[in-house]
């Protein structure tokens, strides 16, 4: 739709691994962190839509005192998911402990630009993904194009130590390897957060528990054929 993006998306067969699901529609105020009750969050498929409250958006865009930061902002250099702007960050913390001592946020950051134009960034923050000290923990991401009238959408695949995030239908994609020490198996939790200073966000999302792939590279017949050669 943009005419300039190479779209990446999980293969359709991933859906065959989906187990039970839960749907949520939540309004999240500025500075909020909400636990999402899905049980163990070590293997998940999350599809979500976000919408910034129109009243909040109009108020910020019409306020000359709100800094236009779109040209200066970058996921890597602007401090991660804890740095609060007028319109973000907001998204999910995956592979998180109950206390949030370990967590991997996947989020949107919407920045006001010149002439009140909006620029959207899709980012991940592994700076708190593990309490281990011998792990590289980068903050990463880039601009993601959002066309007029579109809601902000993301899909996240969580598989123990792998997190794959897809923004706006795959226009921007991020693959992470993280090393949690306590946010593992049944102790892994999922949180929804909104660290924006002024904006209320509505999140509509579905979370699936995922089965293991049980990959068998050779059929029994192929193995027997190989053993005969």
């Amino acid at each position: 739709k943009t005419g300039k993006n190479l779209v990446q998306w999980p293969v359709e067969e991933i859906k065959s691994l989906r187990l039970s699901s839960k749907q949520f529609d939540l309004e999240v105020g500025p500075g909020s962190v909400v636990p999402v009750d899905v049980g163990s969050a070590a293997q998940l498929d999350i599809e979500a839509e976000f919408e910034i409250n129109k009243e909040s958006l109009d108020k910020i865009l019409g306020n000359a005192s709100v800094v236009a930061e779109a040209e200066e902002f970058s996921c890597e250099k602007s401090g991660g998911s804890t740095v609060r702007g007028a319109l973000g960050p907001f998204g999910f913390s995956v592979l998180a402990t109950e206390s949030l001592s370990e967590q991997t946020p996947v989020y949107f950051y919407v920045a006001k630009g010149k002439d009140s134009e909006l620029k959207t960034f899709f980012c991940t923050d592994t700076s708190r993904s593990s309490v281990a000290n011998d792990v590289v923990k980068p903050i990463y991401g880039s601009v993601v194009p959002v066309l007029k009238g579109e809601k902000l959408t993301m899909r996240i695949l969580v598989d123990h130590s792998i997190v794959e995030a897809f923004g706006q239908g795959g226009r921007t994609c991020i693959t992470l390897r993280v090393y949690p020490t306590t946010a593992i198996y049944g102790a892994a939790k999922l949180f929804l957060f909104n660290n924006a200073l002024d904006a209320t966000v509505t999140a509509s999302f579905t979370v699936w528990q995922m089965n293991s792939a049980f990959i068998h590279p050779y059929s029994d017949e192929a193995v027997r054929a190989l053993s005969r050669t």
Side-chain angles (χ1 to χ4, degrees):
K1 291 182 181 179
T2 64
K4 59 182 179 181
N5 286 90
L6 176 64
V7 172
Q8 299 180 66
W9 196 246
V11 294
E12 284 297 307
E13 288 80 0
I14 289 288
K15 292 181 179 179
S16 68
L17 301 178
R18 288 175 172 175
L19 300 172
S20 60
S21 66
K22 286 188 176 182
Q23 291 183 303
F24 301 86
D25 288 285
L26 300 173
E27 187 174 84
V28 191
S32 298
V33 180
V34 180
V36 182
D37 182 15
V38 293
S40 172
Q43 289 180 287
L44 300 177
D45 189 350
I46 305 166
E47 290 192 352
E49 288 185 347
F50 293 89
E51 194 167 16
I52 299 173
N53 179 280
K54 187 176 185 302
E55 185 178 331
S56 300
L57 198 58
D58 291 343
K59 182 179 177 181
I60 291 165
L61 292 178
N63 187 347
S65 66
V66 175
V67 177
E69 58 174 338
E71 304 309 316
E72 290 75 29
F73 182 86
S74 77
C75 296
E76 293 89 343
K77 299 178 182 178
S78 297
S81 61
T82 61
V83 175
R84 303 182 65 186
L87 298 172
F90 53 85
F92 293 97
S93 285
V94 301
L95 295 177
T97 55
E98 193 76 54
S99 65
L100 292 173
S101 58
E102 289 185 333
Q103 57 175 303
T104 300
V106 179
Y107 58 97
F108 287 110
Y109 192 103
V110 182
K112 179 181 177 181
K114 297 175 182 178
D115 301 322
S116 293
E117 293 181 355
L118 296 178
K119 199 171 186 179
T120 302
F121 299 82
F122 186 57
C123 315
T124 56
D125 180 356
T126 65
S127 61
R128 293 165 291 158
S129 61
S130 175
V131 296
N133 295 321
D134 57 344
V135 178
V136 178
K137 306 171 191 176
I139 299 166
Y140 188 76
S142 64
V143 174
V144 59
V146 180
L147 302 180
K148 186 176 181 179
E150 286 186 334
K151 293 181 180 180
L152 300 178
T153 65
M154 69 169 71
R155 184 176 178 186
I156 308 172
L157 296 175
V158 180
D159 188 13
H160 294 292
S161 64
I162 296 288
V163 179
E164 291 197 289
F166 304 84
Q168 293 305 110
R171 292 175 195 160
T172 294
C173 308
I174 306 170
T175 299
L176 306 172
R177 184 70 186 265
V178 295
Y179 300 90
T181 64
T182 53
I184 58 176
Y185 300 108
K189 306 296 181 184
L190 176 68
F191 290 85
L192 174 69
F193 71 90
N194 175 16
N195 282 341
L197 288 169
D198 303 300
T200 296
V201 174
T202 300
S204 301
F205 58 99
T206 303
V207 182
W208 286 268
Q209 291 285 344
M210 297 293 281
N211 203 354
S212 295
F214 302 111
I215 296 172
H216 300 286
Y218 298 103
S219 67
D220 291 342
E221 184 179 344
V223 171
R224 286 193 294 271
L226 286 171
S227 67
R228 291 194 295 267
T229 60

